[in-house]
Amino acid sequence: MDVSDQQTTPDDDSARLHQLGYAQELKRTMSAFSNFAVSFTIISILSGCLTLYGTGMKTGGPAAMIWGWVLVGFFVILVGLGMAEVCSSYPTAGGLYYWAAKLAPRNGAAWSWFTGWFNLVGQIAVTAGIDFGAALFLNAFLDLQWGFAATPGHTILLLAIILVVHGLLNTFGVRLVAILNNVSVWWHLVGVLVIVGVLTFVPAKHQDAGFVFGEFVNKTGWTSPIYVFALGLLLAQYTLTGYDASAHMTEETKNAAKAGPRGIITSIIVSLIAGWILLIGLTFAIQDYDGALGSGTGVPPAQIFIDATGVTTGKFLLLICIGAQLFCGMSSVTANSRMIYAFARDGAIPGSAFWHRINKRTQTPTNAVWLAAGGALILALPYLWSATAYYAVTSIAVVGLYVAYVIPVFLRVRRGDSFEAGPWNLGKWGKPIGIVASVWVAFIFVLFMLPPASPVTVDSFNYTPVAFLVVLGGAGIWWLVSARKWFTGPKVQGSEAELAAVEQELKELG
């Protein structure tokens, strides 16, 4: 694969954006490291691994969590490689839905429309899942420290507060968020080392290797171990999402045609390694399996920390996790808002003119930021009456994002040799990698629509299919009734002179 290191200039980046049809409206200040940091922060092993750890303890237990991580990781790398190659060809904030429009041999507008809506639903769901997890962990800490009971009402209240804070942070501009994302990388890496180090040396006893790598646990009510193991893959598949953020941030990244693809792949690989170490360290430290699952805080990792290290140290480790999750949610709102901004720029969201509006002072899509935050809160509200709402939110995130991820990869495969590769490409490996990635996503699309527990009741019902039916059914009806007559895919903003005029106006206002 070609990953040459020849640098581009800001003018080169802007010129390529002009070729794709857009003005340089957003500030291009992000470095390659900052681009990687956004995706790494949204993947956030200290968020995904730990917030779904309790689910993993029920659906397959240690064996499914440890080996499922490796299995899923292999296929995620393939999906990421396919995405990275396309990102190098089309480095624009629209990302996936823009790619689909350009790669489709025909009916590009329809491919673009539905890719965009899958991505939009997935992005909002992953923001909801991340900050919902942060609220769960924060509620557990507040319960331990001050007796603020871990109830659904309290958790939703904390979620609303967290989303408002993340909205405010993203309103202040991309520079502040970029700095915090860079801090977040080291917070995550050092945090994992601290947590694993403490759990290795402090506990008086540990589980043996046979338990960590071989113990299978089924508390789902289903009898098929294969089905239960498959359900347990959600932990890894949900954690390893959000790396499309590197693509959505390319209009703000220097040397975007190379930095964007590298951000995607590097964030996946670093997360895979660090996440596996974290899962192994946490599982070795379990003192009372059933006690952790039945913890009054509703957060099994918090109970594992306390059982293994004592209350004070356990709270300290819990705070490390909460900090990482808050960083993660902040970055998710950032990436989500850029996708909304780009999709609205092309008229595909109701009220597009409003959601596409740029804050002239900060050159950030402030209105889109608040749509991302508000949508995430709405999606999490069923937790007030459904015990499995978090499973559903994470399933929606996985299904929505991965379908959007793989559609452009699938279309790139169909393009074959006519695909115009960017400076970062897979060469002859592009087609076979894309085929395997497409088959894997088709499998998980079906898997995470299925019920996670038996018997299926109102409390245990997986409302993932309902959410997709409502949102994508609405998008489908809108397409058939109206949008197919006027939505032509990504819009060109104007001629070279018109794009330059837009950029000059922003410079004068800044």
Side-chain angles (χ1 to χ4, degrees), residues 50-352:
L50 298 186
T51 52
L52 274 181
Y53 192 82
T55 300
M57 291 176 77
K58 298 175 186 176
T59 53
M65 288 191 284
I66 300 303
W67 297 115
W69 184 264
V70 176
L71 175 67
V72 169
F74 170 76
F75 289 107
V76 168
I77 287 175
L78 298 185
V79 175
L81 285 169
M83 284 175 57
E85 182 179 49
V86 180
C87 177
S88 183
S89 292
Y90 307 108
T92 174
L96 308 163
Y97 83 90
Y98 182 98
W99 306 344
K102 296 300 181 183
L103 291 170
R106 59 184 179 277
N107 300 322
W111 283 103
S112 176
W113 178 266
F114 287 101
T115 301
W117 276 99
F118 268 108
N119 194 16
L120 181 63
V121 174
Q123 285 268 4
I124 291 174
V126 84
T127 300
I130 292 163
D131 276 349
F132 187 60
L136 284 171
F137 272 60
L138 181 58
N139 206 164
F141 177 81
L142 295 175
D143 190 6
L144 291 167
Q145 188 68 29
W146 292 293
F148 188 72
T151 65
H154 285 167
T155 301
I156 292 296
L157 173 63
L158 291 172
L159 170 62
I161 294 170
I162 290 168
L163 285 166
V164 168
V165 171
H166 286 159
L168 290 172
L169 276 171
N170 275 279
T171 299
F172 286 111
V174 73
R175 241 180 233 284
L176 174 61
V177 173
I179 292 169
L180 292 173
N181 278 324
N182 291 348
V183 172
S184 171
V185 172
W186 302 111
W187 183 286
H188 277 81
L189 293 176
V190 174
V192 169
L193 291 175
V194 169
I195 290 170
V196 173
V198 170
L199 294 180
T200 299
F201 295 108
V202 172
K205 69 181 183 73
H206 292 88
Q207 299 288 345
D208 59 32
F211 174 87
V212 173
F213 295 100
E215 184 72 13
F216 186 84
V217 178
N218 177 11
K219 295 181 180 293
T220 66
W222 298 110
T223 57
S224 169
I226 295 173
Y227 180 62
V228 173
F229 180 89
L231 289 176
L233 299 179
L234 180 65
L235 181 151
Q237 197 73 59
Y238 167 68
T239 303
L240 297 169
T241 56
Y243 45 86
D244 58 315
S246 287
H248 295 305
M249 302 305 290
T250 48
E251 289 187 32
E252 297 161 80
T253 303
K254 301 170 185 174
N255 197 20
K258 295 168 190 169
R262 287 172 175 162
I264 291 170
I265 298 304
T266 308
S267 63
I268 294 171
I269 292 173
V270 174
S271 297
L272 271 175
I273 296 168
W276 207 48
I277 292 170
L278 175 64
L279 286 173
I280 291 171
L282 183 62
T283 307
F284 265 116
I286 294 174
Q287 307 294 305
D288 179 0
Y289 200 96
D290 290 333
L293 265 178
S295 168
T297 64
V299 178
Q303 194 63 49
I304 294 171
F305 293 157
I306 291 169
D307 291 346
T309 67
V311 175
T312 302
T313 305
K315 289 178 184 175
F316 170 69
L317 298 182
L318 190 56
L319 283 175
I320 292 175
C321 299
I322 292 167
Q325 291 160 3
L326 292 175
F327 277 126
C328 177
M330 177 198 68
S331 294
S332 184
V333 171
T334 305
N336 194 350
S337 66
R338 271 45 175 191
M339 188 273 155
I340 292 169
Y341 154 80
F343 208 31
R345 177 171 61 186
D346 296 319
I349 300 175
S352 284

